[in-house]
Amino acid sequence: MNLSVLLLIPLLTAIAILLAPRNVQPRWIALVGSFIQLVFAFILLHLFYSEKAGNDAASMVFIRQYSWLTAWNINYEIGVDGISVAMILLTAFIVIAGVLVSWNVQQRVKEFYFLLIFLGLGAYGFFISLNLFILFFFLEIAVIPKYLLIGIWGSGKKEYSANKLALMLMGGSALVLVGLLGLYFSSGGERTFSLMQLARLHIPVGIQKIFFPLLFTGFGVFTALFPFHTWVPDGHSSAPTAGSMFLAGISMKLGSYGCLRVAVYLLPDAAKEYAPVIIVLSSIAILYGAFATMMQRDLKYMNAYSSVSHCGFILLGIGMLTKTAIVGAVMQMISHGLMTALFFAVIGMIYERTHTRIVSEMGGLMKVMPFVMTVFFIAGFCSLGLPGLSGFVAEITIFIGSWEHSGLFYRVATVAACMSIVVTAVYILRAIAQVAMGPVKNQQYLQLKDAGWNEKLAAIILIIGIIAIGVAPSWLNHLVSPGAEVIMQKITNK
Amino acid sequence: MEPGLYQVLFISTTLFFIGVYGFFTRRNLVTILMSVELILNSVNLNFIAFNKYLWPHRLDGVFFTVFIIAIAAAEAAVAIAIIINLYRSHQSIDVEKTEELKY
Amino acid sequence: MPDSLVIALIPLLPLTGFVLLGLFGKKIFRNNSGIVGTLLLLVATVLAIYIAYGYFFGYGKTNGVYQKLIPVHYSWLRFSENLSIDMGIILDPISVMMIFVVTFVSLMVHIYSLAYMKGEERYSTYFSFLSLFTFSMLGLVLSSNIFQIYIFWELVGVSSFLLIGYYYDRPSAVAAAKKAFIVTRFADLGFLIGILILSFYSNTLDFGLLIQRLTSPDSSQWRTATEASFLGISALTWGAALVFIGGAGKSAMFPLHIWLPDAMEGPTPVSALIHAATMVVAGVYLVARLFPVFAIGSPQAMHLVAYVGTVSAFLAAMIACTQTDIKRVLAFSTMSQIGYMMLSLGVSGFGTFDGSGYTASMFHLFTHAMFKALLFLCAGVIIHYVHSNEMNQMGGLRRKLPVTHISFLIACLAISGIPPLSGFFSKEEILFAAWRHNAVIYWMALITSGITAFYMFRLYFSIFWNKENSHQKEGGAQHAVEGGALMVLPLILLAIGSVCSGFIPFGNLVSFDGTPVESKPHISFSILPVGLGLLGILIAGWFYKKQNDRSDKIASSFSRIYQAVYHKFYIDELYLFITKKILFNLVGRPAAWFDKNIVDGLVNLTGNTTTMISEKIKGIQSGKLQQYAMYFLIGAAGLALFFIYYRR
Amino acid sequence: MSGSTIIFYLLAALVLVSGWLAVTTRQIFRAAIYLLFSLVGIAGLYFWLQYEFIAAVQIVVYVGGIVVLIIFSIFLTQQSGQKLPSQKRGRIIFSILAVGLGLTLTMLQLFQYTFVKSTESPVSANVTSIGRQMLGVNDNGYALPFEVVSMLLLAAMIGCIVIAMKSPENEQK
Amino acid sequence: MKSEMVVTIIIFLLLIVKIGRGMKNELLLSIVQLLLLLNTVIALVYNQEGSLFDGMFRTSSLIGFQKGILSLGTYLISLLCTDWLKKNSNLPEFFILMLSALLGMFLMISSGNLLMFYLSLELSTIPVAALANFDIDKRISSEAAIKMILSSAFSSGILLFGISLVYGATGTISFAELPSKVNSGSLQTLAFVFLFTAFAFKLSVVPFHLWTADVYEGSPIAVTSFLSVISKGAFAFIFLTALYKVFGSLHDLWYHMLVILSIASMVIGNLFAIRQQNIKRFLAFSSIAQVGFILVGMSGGGASGISSVVYFVLIYVFSNLAAFGVASVISGQAGKENIDDYRGLYQTNPFLSWILALALFSLAGIPPTAGFFGKLFLLAAGASRGNYWFIAIAALNMIISLYYYLRIIRSVFMDKNEQPLGPVGKDSDSRFALLLCAVGIVMVGLMSWIYEYIQGLK
């Protein structure tokens, strides 16, 4: 099958939205489009399994290559392995959920949904591309829609946040760009951007050491690598609900995926060199983010900082450079994507009703909107790593993986990471207790309605994902491990 | 001593920078234009001298000079036209008056 | 070999209960939710009894030794060829014993709740949570894999959280739920790291393999685990100790006990089920599950267990004497009793190792489940009647609540270890084990048992005797007083249980290696404890049977100590200090501040500097034609100089 | 010391001195005259170098054309006789520094450099040869530049007309 | 030679029209537009190698294509600035001057020796200086004009001095003979620097850029766009030839010059652009920064250098003209040139807003617009020298530039405005031109064959 369909569907959807006549509501087009995409993602999963059954040796399947620019030897190369399939599934889930959640957007509806779908397009392209140029193209394609989403439909100090986000992400991609050019020109006689070819040849360690920091930091900015995480809180909290879902759910994952697929996979020796730095930074991010979260008053800020902490887990897993840890990292990508998207969805629902996000102003909402609060509970429990929900699986896998190193340094880092589960519990429970439980603070909250069908559907879709991973993680494990195996081979040889 | 290439070059270079100095310091646009003319003349002198002393086998330098003179005329004409127009709007041709566009 | 489906059903039935009630409870079942849950659990109980019977008197025993059977087993999440989380069901004496206890007590509580929780707004939610808890608890006791037990451990924790916070509009309840969850979570951190350590050295997560590898001195894992050491303590000890911390957290052992008293904010049946009979003994069960690792692998860890148990038992007993809230008294007594179990496990680490302590502890666990559940349910009835938890609000209820009175009395006698009630046997075995291994612990335990008798009867007398003629007015509706059959039936059943369960030949059934242990002490041994118990009862009677001020006199004469004890030795305050002052103000706040001002500040700073510079250098574009020309010339000359004289 | 040498140095002196005065004098009208002298001096130098044609062109175009144009423009824009405002001292100092830098740099380069001469036989720069080359197309003929310049002059003329001539609608304003 | 012919013919036609007064501006304008379109087409088709007038004039397929780009730009300008042009009282003169400037650029691109180069340079400058003054009764217009003519006279003085030194040192002025004669002796270095400054001046490279902003702001917007797009493009092309062909042997000399100057241009241009209020002035500084990028590509050398620069100029024509087009539509019909007046533009003029956004994103190098590819190839060409910190600086400069482009996007799309300017730009010409630019911006990047084609030319 040809993966370009993954790009085609959103593209057509976006165009349809633009050209839609007055009487057709864009949201329906968006919903249909994203639903088709979701279905297609599942088909892809199925086909992938069968393909894998066919030849297990191939690291990438469904590879297509069309020469695009022979002058620079840039080709449109696409293909997937288990990891990318997982990410694609995640994206499909979040896109449809995002569309559903932002059902009642009033102003500039067309543009809103267009940008939303366009963002999705960028993510899909990023995950399927096997050519660094195309990858970079899709990485950057997603920046401006985010900016507009925040700036136009956002809340709070949206201009500032939008600017900060766009500039920091551009800064990240600037570093990535330099790194990519470095790879390109150091890729031997016949220069190439192709991931597979680059993976095949051995780049001298000296060169690796130069470009690994650029690439890793560059992608790291996207995934809130400490101390480049500061766009996260403002960006997330100012964005509209769907925007935050995208940011935290997908766009941060672009970064971590890049770290894994490009930086670590192509520059393994340098990765080994720099692993301690990564580990230190990510452990800091984990604890520091968690503690910073404890102090937040605003639900969105809370979740944003907790995202910093959780993405720290991803980077920790990548930095540990053991197969289990990497699998865990990917699982955490998926899990955190779903979980945080759910969280933001709920926060959006609450905000739509109570018009406040300050925790202390709420209370006893369980009585008012049981469904929303139940979802809130689930999201919270997932984020504090309750077994049966996806968060637990991912974190445990990372712990096990990072425990495989016996050095004291790694031990300390791991224990530090483990500590965060307590802190997480503290802030999550404080939030839940203050928002959902206790007496109803504000009497006119009693008039508020519970979730509508669209919100319920969105929440349920995401929860299904979370539980599917949490209760039976092995499918995801089987999906991801081969990909991680390939990366490990690259790391371990010589 | 016997005047030769270097003497001429000395003259032309000095003249050139005299022109430049004028360009820097004169406050009246017309006088600035004059300094431009000095600059161009010094260049002409250069060309002629080189042509005379070094490369007499072809007349490149001479022709260059001719064309420069022509251009100078055209330039001066346009410049003066602009100056006159400027005078209409500013009632002055002091260069200090033409500083509205800045920063 | 048992039918794996039947066994699998035991935890799965409550799970279905949870799912059904959770999803459709409000819409479809409404007031029948209770019935649904109870019926499902009834089936589970029957199955449990069937299994227990089958195991103990059938396939469980092969040539005189009880085997570890693993009828259900599938790989849940595989990390590497060795390490994988498996979902399995293990059948060995303790797990079988536990599934019986859990299902039985849970059933009792369900039945009781049918009446007790009637008319509650979130009736179905309550039962779904109850089923969730039962499921997780069953899963916990049946775990065959150390990570599986951790998983259910967490689930138990969360269901306890949900049930404590059941009255979510009560701030105190919410606070208690939070406290319970966070404290246990903190302990679980230890548990998790312990698991990581053990699994790293044993290179497996499966209980059987793990125990076998870490207890056989010839295995390579054993060697590495004992040789590797951190801060001069062997890795194995670290692992065991950390795991124990997890257990201590759940079982409210000192100093992680602070959540238990507050947990009484939950509905009383819940307290009976979770915070008396089942969940709180999970810690004991965990230690018992890993008993060989502790006992053989690292005696130091075992000593830790023993001392922690002893101290908790003693302190809790002391505190219990001063509390006035009846449920809190019971809570502390629970803590103290669990301390007993712990110490009796722990003593096996001293001197010559034998399994008597293990058996004793399990035995006590069993009996304690009975009488403590009974006590709580009675308390529930009383509270229902009096509408207060305060002792001094009560008195002279023995005629109002006859059944409750009797069963409460039975329970009290049982816990005070008065023969021939169940408590006597189990406690005596514990004391015997302690006596055989370590004198100090023995004496501590002995005194504690005396105190236990005292405060239990203090409770008893001041509820049922003391100020005779209070609560006359409610005397009218006699029939409804004890909540009808649904509430009385469990009392009776449990009472019977706490009377008879002592006569079970526990030593033959439950032992660490499956072979019967014979630990019946000589009759003379039991004189001292029983005597002490009786003494305690007498003193309690002297103080509280009649309304008088003797107790206050004593209290005032020891006021300093009394206050200290009354305030639970200020441990709560200590924790409050650590969390609020240290974690929040010294870590959290700075972190937030740092992020807001330093990290963020740097980003803004770069932006501002750029704009500032651009403001500063605007003078270059002065609008002066001649300056432009000057820059031009200087630029040209500069370039020329640079490239003529510098680079060549 | 032959006569031609003396003439050369006289011309040099004339050119430089009057050039200097042209850019320094405070009387704008005099400045124009000094410029005129300096240009004439340069024409003299051309004569001295035996490029009579160029000298003639110089006289015709500059003296007959540009300087006259300049003087006209002065009449148009300046009340004659009044002194020019003097430049700020700071500006003067900086200009001298900049110019001095450039001058010394260029001089140094020029006088350190030993120019090579061509060995081929010189061609005479008389009017006929110049004229023939000016309109020649093939071997280094200058027809194309000639055309270009003519285009340029045309454009300049049109430009001047548009800008300098007050168009009727401007009159009304 | 044919494009030059065509342009000359058009000029003379206009001359005749001018003399025989009596044609309405609208009609004349549309005729001229038609002729310019014709010119573009002719310039693009059938270009062959060759040189005329004893090597004074040389042409090739690449040069032909470059001329095509320039005439396309001119055509677009003639469409975009209709409002202003229609009002203009002497339209024919305007086009005569503009076209003679264009002619000058054509000749300059294909000039075969320094004399031709100098003459055509003047031909492409002096008429523009006159054009700058075409808002005859605006003070700033004449100020801009005088600044332009005098500073360009100064720069051409220095250029000429440089040329004379080159002539003195090598004895030739023809591009064919120079490469064999030039060396990096100190005098020739000096001469080369003097030459170099002239290019730098025309391309407005820091520190020779100072005239740019003032002239852009002062002169009519049509002229501004002509200056900033067409003349920059032309000079970039001839600069390529001068560096690669003529002074190829001074390779590492000019490489380092380019590095220094391009960094300076990017930084200074960006820093100044940040705090501009007038849209023309803003675009002036942004174009300075863009030139910095062009220099990055040039520094790469070799075929990739040439093709990436030409490609970028093509894209730059579309993007920058789109931006200027929107600006000119607004200033022509609402008379607003201040960025604050653009606040809330989206409420009233979604079409213009989207075009503007597209243009700015393309200038900032955001995918999927063509600017992304253009910038990327420039950087790649520059990186081929393995000088990565240079590339890193360039890449980081992209962030600053993004910052101020986003500033405009913000005021257009996000800022609320009680009285936004009314709907403008309804006339077909400008709309068509803007659409053309938009198509160009989107397509030139994605259609890789365009780059391939440029690569193929020589």
Side-chain angles (χ1 to χ4, degrees), chain A residues 230-242:
Chain A
T230 153
W231 63 270
V232 177
D234 294 323
H236 287 37
S237 52
S238 309
T241 306

Side-chain angles (χ1 to χ4, degrees), chain C residues 415-470:
Chain C
I415 196 173
S416 323
I418 305 301
L421 295 166
S422 57
F424 162 72
F425 296 97
S426 53
K427 191 174 276 185
E428 185 173 61
E429 283 197 28
I430 291 176
L431 289 172
F432 187 53
W435 180 67
R436 280 204 302 198
H437 287 94
N438 183 318
V440 184
I441 294 178
Y442 169 69
W443 286 107
M444 293 285 288
L446 198 60
I447 297 161
T448 310
S449 76
I451 303 172
T452 312
F454 168 73
Y455 67 72
M456 282 320 292
F457 274 87
R458 164 172 176 266
L459 193 60
Y460 167 73
F461 282 123
S462 42
I463 292 171
F464 292 99
W465 303 78
N466 213 326
K467 9 181 164 68
E468 287 298 348
N469 42 21
S470 61

